[in-house]
Amino acid sequence: MNIPDKLKRTLDEIFEAFSIVCEGTYVYVNDMSVDLSRWSRTAVDAFDLPGEYMTNAGGIWEEHIHPEDREAYHKSIDEIMRGAAGSHDMQYRARNRQGNYVMCTCRGVVIHDAEGKPAYFAGSIRNHGLEGDIDVMTGLRDQKGFLEDLEESLSEQKPFFAAILGINGFSEINTLYGYDFGNLVIQKTARLYLTQTLNGGRVYRLDGARFGLISKNFTPEQAEDAFSRFRDRTRKGFTIDGIHISFVVSEGGIYVDSYEVNSHTILACLESAYRRSGRNMLGDVTIFSARAGQKQAEALALLSDIRESVFQKCRGFLLYYQPIMNAESQTLRGAEALIRYRDDRHGLVFPDTFIPFLENDSIFPELGSWILRRAMEDGARFVQKVPDFIMNVNLSYVQLEQAGFAEEVKRLLDETGFPARNLCLEITERCRFLDLQLLKSIMNDLRQYGVKFALDDFGTGFSSASLLNDLSFDTIKIDRAFVTGIAVDTKKQDALSHLAGLARTFGSDVCVEGIEDEATREAVNRYHVTSLQGYLYSKPVSAEVFERDWV
Ligand code: C2E
Ligand code: MG
Ligand code: MG
């Protein structure tokens, strides 16, 4: 190719500069005035391109791009050449010399001349086919790559949107049509999602039928739009091997604009938003947001500090104890252990701010064990003074999913010397997300050992009655939503009467939470409940105060 010297010199200079900063990727530089490009030798070899210097490289490259991704690529290049866009950052599949499609991430910027006119288009292409952390089934980067890219995005200190999305009820597809078919569904879904987000961000394959997205281009609205297009598409469904299937997808997202956190904190927020999205069953996107009155940056900083504390042997965590009273005799029956977190930066923090986020975090079991151990250690002292004392400890349903959970509880009982019959584990209706057989076997195992179980927050979830039928609980705890104002509210009186009756039918004791005043206590006691808990007796207090005032 005959190239004028001056043209070539500048082109080469820019190319060399880009090559230094874009190690490990292919580099391209395009002189927009004459549409002359220089590409890395490695790209020429890998993709069998005509040469390092090419005219109409955009068109040549387009030929290599997967037909499904081509339109988005074409549109993006067209915008850049027309001066309608100043950069692009997109993902597509490109055909290599061997004829295989490999996933590529392509980033480029327009460089302007002294008059401000577009002069060069230069950038890099990352060939994910050459990297280790690739999911072979979809060609997408895997969970490790997702975490790495989250980390990189945070270090760039520019706002970005990240999301996790997945197929609801995917295991049913597997069960119904077999594993191989399930794999095809994952592949097809990955492609569909990719085509919806091509120039918006990068897509990752996480575990199972779940995908990740990181986008520097999408505003939250655009991200939600892309998701709803995708959702509509999967609702309509598609045909594979003559079988038509459709499904609902969930997505949890977060818009990140503070960067003092690490990728695991972002992942914990995403997991929690994703679970909430999955639970509403309609497949709406759920965006992580801080609680009212709290800035997102603060929320993220708090979660990040709390995660760090878990690694530091749970430094800063405290267990408070709230007395539970015998309804009839008005004497102490036991206490519920309630977790708090405290440090200089955030003050005293209540569990609602962090438990829902940590629950889906791989480090949660660490904290769960700490809670059990501490409650048993404190409880061992209380039991010495009050032999019938029942220590209630809240479990998160994810703890039950952990392999060897029952064994761990037994080990902790042995190590702390706390009597099994004085322990009551509270689980919430969210445990219905677990495998029922697994739950039953854990409960039976521990029950034989003497441990008791309570169903917490009864009446606030969905499948209460069926849970009572499937599992047997020693105690049902009725949520305070049913008792606030009960003294004057006949509807609540009816509700309590029904709930308490239902619990007794299944042979369980009834504990009522949220007894704040004498009038409520009197109203509740008419329904012959077993025990009472609430501010009327005491707010949750530290172990020292509890020991001093209550045992
Ligand atoms: P929960 O298990 O239903 O605990 C009862 C909550 O109601 C506690 O809030 C308690 O302080 C509050 N409460 C008690 N009596 C009254 C009252 O008379 N009036 C009012 N307004 N509130 C009352 P807390 O300590 O903020 O805990 C909130 C939730 O966080 C707990 O609800 C539980 O689901 C969760 N949680 C707390 N500690 C742990 C833990 O160690 N592990 C797990 N997995 N979850 C925990
Ligand atoms: Mg509880
Ligand atoms: Mg409760």
Side-chain angles (χ1 to χ4, degrees):
M1 192 182 293
N2 241 340
I3 309 168
D5 259 4
K6 189 164 171 294
L7 263 180
K8 185 167 179 298
R9 205 178 321 124
T10 325
L11 190 67
D12 285 344
E13 268 171 17
I14 299 175
F15 181 86
E16 302 303 344
F18 264 76
S19 300
I20 293 168
V21 290
C22 299
E23 230 188 278
T25 62
Y26 311 127
V27 170
Y28 58 86
V29 180
N30 172 263
D31 182 331
M32 295 169 81
S33 63
V34 287
D35 194 8
L36 172 72
S37 301
R38 178 167 173 199
W39 282 52
S40 299
R41 182 77 243 165
T42 42
V44 174
D45 292 342
F47 292 90
D48 201 14
L49 301 172
E52 280 176 81
Y53 295 89
M54 291 179 274
T55 43
N56 185 29
I60 296 171
W61 187 234
E62 192 173 316
E63 291 291 304
H64 286 258
I65 292 180
H66 194 288
E68 285 174 10
D69 305 346
R70 215 171 267 168
E71 188 187 325
Y73 171 81
H74 187 87
K75 188 163 157 258
S76 169
I77 291 296
D78 185 57
E79 277 170 2
I80 283 166
M81 292 304 160
R82 279 190 290 115
S87 68
H88 84 169
D89 178 354
M90 63 185 311
Q91 202 179 24
Y92 48 65
R93 290 154 291 176
R95 198 182 59 249
N96 63 17
R97 182 187 283 273
Q98 289 78 30
N100 302 322
Y101 281 103
V102 287
M103 192 63 68
C104 294
T105 300
C106 179
R107 299 176 77 178
V109 287
V110 175
I111 303 169
H112 298 90
D113 65 14
E115 278 107 56
K117 282 206 296 267
Y120 292 91
F121 176 54
S124 70
I125 297 172
R126 186 174 286 277
N127 177 352
H128 297 302
L130 301 177
E131 292 170 338
D133 35 16
I134 287 294
D135 169 57
V136 279
M137 201 158 85
T138 54
L140 297 169
R141 295 197 78 192
D142 61 12
Q143 175 129 359
K144 183 162 162 280
F146 184 56
L147 279 168
E148 268 171 26
D149 285 2
L150 279 178
E151 207 62 64
E152 188 194 294
S153 306
L154 285 165
S155 70
E156 285 173 11
Q157 310 237 333
K158 292 203 191 101
F160 66 93
F161 178 81
I164 289 182
L165 94 169
I167 302 176
N168 290 0
F170 179 71
S171 52
E172 282 159 32
I173 297 179
N174 261 342
T175 319
L176 225 60
Y177 302 112
Y179 198 71
D180 290 342
F181 186 84
N183 284 350
L184 293 176
V185 173
I186 290 177
Q187 282 171 346
K188 176 87 181 173
T189 310
R191 281 204 297 278
L192 271 181
Y193 189 49
L194 206 59
T195 43
Q196 291 306 335
T197 46
L198 271 185
N199 197 18
R202 300 183 196 169
V203 178
Y204 305 78
R205 160 103 192 274
L206 309 180
D207 46 348
R210 303 204 308 161
F211 303 93
L213 170 76
I214 299 176
S215 167
K216 295 169 186 149
N217 305 349
F218 278 155
T219 62
E221 294 74 34
Q222 285 170 321
E224 282 182 45
D225 275 356
F227 177 68
S228 59
R229 281 198 305 273
F230 172 64
R231 185 191 53 201
D232 293 345
R233 191 64 193 73
T234 61
R235 269 196 188 142
K236 261 193 234 140
F238 43 75
T239 304
I240 298 177
D241 282 354
I243 300 172
H244 183 84
I245 65 155
S246 63
F247 49 82
V248 176
V249 284
S250 306
E251 180 175 86
I254 182 170
Y255 191 68
V256 182
D257 58 2
S258 64
Y259 316 102
E260 307 283 278
V261 296
N262 66 27
S263 53
H264 291 276
T265 305
I266 301 293
L267 192 63
C269 297
L270 284 175
E271 291 284 6
S272 125
Y274 174 74
R275 299 249 171 165
R276 269 185 293 139
S277 165
R279 245 170 256 152
N280 75 26
M281 300 301 170
L282 301 171
D284 285 327
V285 52
T286 303
I287 302 292
F288 169 84
S289 57
R291 292 159 64 82
Q294 193 190 26
K295 291 212 182 76
Q296 174 159 309
E298 279 166 31
L300 286 179
L302 172 67
L303 287 176
S304 157
D305 290 350
I306 285 186
R307 284 191 88 255
E308 191 51 40
S309 295
V310 176
F311 289 117
Q312 312 284 337
K313 301 202 172 106
C314 297
R315 192 190 61 203
F317 287 99
L318 307 163
L319 278 191
Y320 272 33
Y321 297 93
Q322 185 179 35
I324 298 177
M325 309 297 286
N326 280 308
E328 213 174 322
S329 65
Q330 293 291 302
T331 53
L332 185 75
R333 178 185 169 90
E336 176 172 7
L338 294 157
I339 196 162
R340 308 283 180 260
Y341 172 79
R342 188 171 57 208
D343 69 11
D344 292 345
R345 188 167 170 200
H346 307 284
L348 187 68
V349 185
F350 290 85
D352 288 340
T353 8
F354 59 86
I355 290 285
F357 299 104
L358 288 191
E359 269 184 352
N360 304 310
D361 197 308
S362 55
I363 61 169
F364 191 83
E366 198 83 21
L367 182 61
S369 305
W370 182 89
I371 293 169
L372 279 164
R373 177 183 287 280
R374 177 48 59 84
M376 290 183 200
E377 282 169 358
D378 288 341
R381 296 196 306 276
F382 307 161
V383 168
Q384 276 182 359
K385 298 189 192 155
V386 186
D388 290 335
F389 185 92
I390 303 289
M391 174 64 87
N392 281 35
V393 182
N394 291 286
L395 289 186
S396 165
Y397 70 99
V398 294
Q399 282 172 280
L400 294 156
E401 251 175 342
Q402 232 177 278
F405 175 73
E407 295 311 314
E408 193 196 1
V409 174
K410 291 182 205 167
R411 184 173 56 79
L412 289 170
L413 286 166
D414 284 349
E415 284 176 16
T416 58
F418 187 77
R421 63 174 197 91
N422 294 70
L423 179 67
C424 177
L425 298 176
E426 291 192 10
I427 58 183
T428 64
E429 286 164 337
R430 274 197 276 165
C431 69
R432 72 174 185 281
F433 295 118
L434 299 177
D435 175 14
L436 196 67
Q437 289 311 322
L438 173 80
L439 200 57
K440 267 190 190 165
S441 80
I442 294 173
M443 286 174 71
N444 287 340
D445 187 358
L446 286 171
R447 196 173 263 130
Q448 277 181 6
Y449 218 65
V451 176
K452 298 175 174 54
F453 283 89
L455 181 61
D456 201 0
D457 302 338
F458 185 58
T460 57
F462 299 99
S463 47
S464 327
S466 68
L467 263 186
L468 289 189
N469 199 17
D470 292 332
L471 306 166
S472 72
F473 289 97
D474 301 270
T475 304
I476 305 296
K477 298 188 75 174
I478 295 179
D479 193 71
R480 71 163 184 276
F482 291 95
V483 299
T484 14
I486 194 167
V488 291
D489 187 334
T490 52
K491 271 202 199 114
K492 285 196 176 166
Q493 292 165 11
D494 284 349
L496 179 61
S497 165
H498 280 121
L499 290 179
L502 188 61
R504 273 193 301 268
T505 309
F506 289 103
S508 309
D509 285 347
V510 179
C511 173
V512 179
E513 300 179 286
I515 308 290
E516 291 188 351
D517 49 47
E518 200 56 51
T520 309
R521 184 178 73 86
E522 272 173 31
V524 166
N525 258 352
R526 269 179 244 144
Y527 302 98
H528 307 292
V529 301
T530 326
S531 54
L532 303 172
Q533 182 181 353
Y535 294 172
L536 171 66
Y537 303 104
S538 168
K539 290 198 167 177
V541 292
S542 68
E544 296 72 47
V545 173
F546 188 81
E547 206 168 352
R548 188 192 68 201
D549 294 351
W550 289 94
V551 294

